[in-house]
Amino acid sequence: MVNFRENVKRMEGYVPGEQPPPGSRVIKLNTNENPYPPSPQVMKVLQEFDGEWLRRYPDPVATTAREAAAAVYGVPIDWVMAANGSDEMLALLARAFLERGRKVAYPMPTYSLYITLAEMQDAAAVEVPYDEDYNVPLEGLLAAQADLTFICTPNNPSATVAPVRDLERLAAGLKGVLVVDEAYTDFADENALGLVPRYPNIIVLRTLSKGYSLAGLRVGFGVAQPELLEGLIKIKDSYNVDAVALRIAAAALKDQAWMTANAAKIKASRARLASELERMKFRLWPSQANFIMGRPPRGDAGRLYRGLKEREILVRYWNRPRLDDKIRITVGTEEENGVLLEALEGLVR
Ligand SMILES: *Cc1c(COP(=O)(O)O)cnc(C)c1O
């Protein structure tokens, strides 16, 4: 028998949303992928790709991609670190700051990877409930004084935002590190980058997976003051971002116009989808992400999820406290949203 660490034996492990094989006809509105293709500049990099770039190891510190990211975020290059998706940034933060006897805190419900990472490190997790309107539970998070505090904003799965003034109160009041996971910030009205120069204990995480239509590429970034990044760089894999990803990331970041045009289309579709769902008497939470969390009129979310799946439409459903009466719908193309609404119309009636 393989003898894992005790905490690993106890772990359930992260459960990703279903990924049907490419080419299947399923309408996939379950993992918050962007419905539009990546920038043509990305495709150009791939077409012109030189095998020589693969023979050698990639740049261990991802200079070209970080330069492009720093220009977009308006910070010096040594305030940016690159990783194999923002999930790797989260894992590095957990490894750097959590162990048995240390604490992580986050509001609930939120991104379920946080608990997996806490379990992996054998750290104690303080889960502070959001209220019904998803206001940030400041008191509880400040009282916890965890070594690491995660805030996802816009929050997955509620799509609601943590106001910057709340994040500032946390950064100022916590002795530990505040991680602001901004995976969906490209669809939101405000972000926390402005806090980074003022608080040495804050790190903002960004990804190319959602706004830039590059979930398959696996590139994310951490933005923080250099002292915080130095500790994370010590423990990362030497070549954590591969040679293909580095070049594509730089090209995608330089084409801001492509990303913002797609984000604008998604935000317009989000508004139309929300008003149709409200017409069907769903309770919705105000979304600043590329997805919407909704409670169907009779709370029978599991039945709707299964009914949609039978019609080859995937949305996300969790059989968990506070979420088992809701579904999370990724905003798709206008056509996909139309098919979804038609199917829902039949199921809700
Ligand atoms: C999608 C998502 C990420 C994953 O980002 P990757 O860069 O693809 O690893 C991180 N955080 C949250 C909350 C997400 O929903």
Side-chain angles (χ1 to χ4, degrees):
M1 276 292 281
V2 283
N3 191 20
F4 289 105
R5 289 159 56 210
E6 293 307 317
N7 56 308
V8 175
K9 286 183 199 166
R10 284 193 305 269
M11 279 176 66
E12 191 188 320
Y14 180 74
V15 184
E18 298 144 271
Q19 289 291 5
S24 77
R25 302 168 64 87
V26 171
I27 294 187
K28 199 173 168 306
L29 305 176
N30 66 333
T31 54
N32 300 340
E33 287 135 338
N34 197 307
Y36 301 109
S39 158
Q41 298 307 312
V42 164
M43 304 321 290
K44 200 157 154 259
V45 171
L46 284 173
Q47 277 147 15
E48 292 167 3
F49 202 82
D50 183 342
E52 184 63 8
W53 297 342
L54 292 180
R55 189 178 61 78
R56 294 197 183 176
Y57 282 104
D59 175 3
V61 293
T63 310
T64 49
R66 283 166 56 231
E67 258 164 16
V72 172
Y73 306 151
V75 296
I77 184 168
D78 59 336
W79 290 37
V80 180
M81 140 169 208
N84 185 30
S86 55
D87 283 352
E88 189 196 15
M89 286 303 311
L90 290 164
L92 290 171
L93 284 157
R95 266 193 254 159
F97 291 102
L98 300 179
E99 61 187 341
R100 181 185 291 187
R102 287 195 178 208
K103 245 185 342 192
V104 58
Y106 45 85
M108 276 293 272
T110 191
Y111 190 31
S112 66
L113 183 64
Y114 304 154
I115 183 67
T116 303
L117 295 173
E119 289 168 344
M120 207 161 80
Q121 295 306 119
D122 209 3
V126 182
E127 302 190 330
V128 187
Y130 274 114
D131 63 18
E132 266 307 292
D133 296 321
Y134 283 79
N135 293 300
V136 182
L138 287 175
E139 309 297 309
L141 293 170
L142 287 168
Q145 284 298 335
D147 299 282
L148 203 56
T149 302
F150 290 123
I151 300 283
C152 182
T153 178
N155 182 46
N156 183 3
S158 61
T160 51
V161 283
V164 173
R165 76 184 121 75
D166 287 0
L167 298 172
E168 177 152 27
R169 281 188 58 192
L170 289 174
L174 291 170
K175 287 187 277 291
V177 169
L178 175 65
V179 182
V180 183
D181 183 347
E182 292 193 331
Y184 300 99
T185 196
D186 300 316
F187 312 101
D189 298 335
E190 55 176 343
N191 67 68
L193 281 179
L195 298 177
V196 176
R198 311 214 318 270
Y199 297 94
N201 61 335
I202 190 169
I203 179 164
V204 174
L205 305 188
R206 295 294 181 91
T207 177
L208 303 187
S209 295
K210 314 291 170 32
Y212 295 82
S213 313
L214 290 169
L217 188 69
R218 315 303 308 130
V219 175
F221 297 94
V223 186
Q225 294 186 23
E227 190 197 347
L228 204 168
L229 295 185
E230 275 159 24
L232 302 175
I233 290 165
K234 275 200 271 186
I235 59 171
K236 77 174 184 67
D237 285 351
S238 317
Y239 307 107
N240 61 330
V241 186
D242 69 73
V244 182
L246 284 180
R247 285 193 158 72
I248 291 180
L253 283 160
K254 284 179 189 155
D255 194 355
Q256 284 297 298
W258 183 267
M259 184 279 282
T260 51
N262 287 335
K265 279 195 276 187
I266 290 166
K267 288 189 275 185
S269 298
R270 177 178 77 196
R272 283 192 284 272
L273 185 56
S275 71
E276 287 300 303
L277 290 167
E278 274 175 340
R279 198 178 49 71
M280 286 184 222
K281 303 278 185 281
F282 275 69
R283 157 138 201 222
L284 302 184
W285 281 259
S287 170
Q288 289 205 28
N290 67 335
F291 56 89
I292 298 176
M293 184 173 81
R295 184 187 183 281
R298 277 176 280 155
D300 50 354
R303 186 182 68 83
L304 291 192
Y305 161 75
R306 288 184 297 274
L308 289 171
K309 195 170 170 174
E310 274 168 26
R311 290 162 179 75
E312 301 201 291
I313 303 167
L314 288 181
V315 297
R316 198 80 196 261
Y317 170 70
W318 291 273
N319 192 4
R320 282 203 212 129
R322 289 197 61 182
L323 296 177
D324 57 3
D325 60 343
K326 303 178 184 82
I327 54 175
R328 190 195 69 188
I329 303 167
T330 304
V331 179
T333 60
E334 279 297 295
E335 192 190 348
E336 290 171 325
N337 301 338
V339 175
L340 167 87
L341 286 166
E342 201 172 306
L344 274 178
E345 195 93 57
L347 286 164
V348 167
R349 199 181 301 130

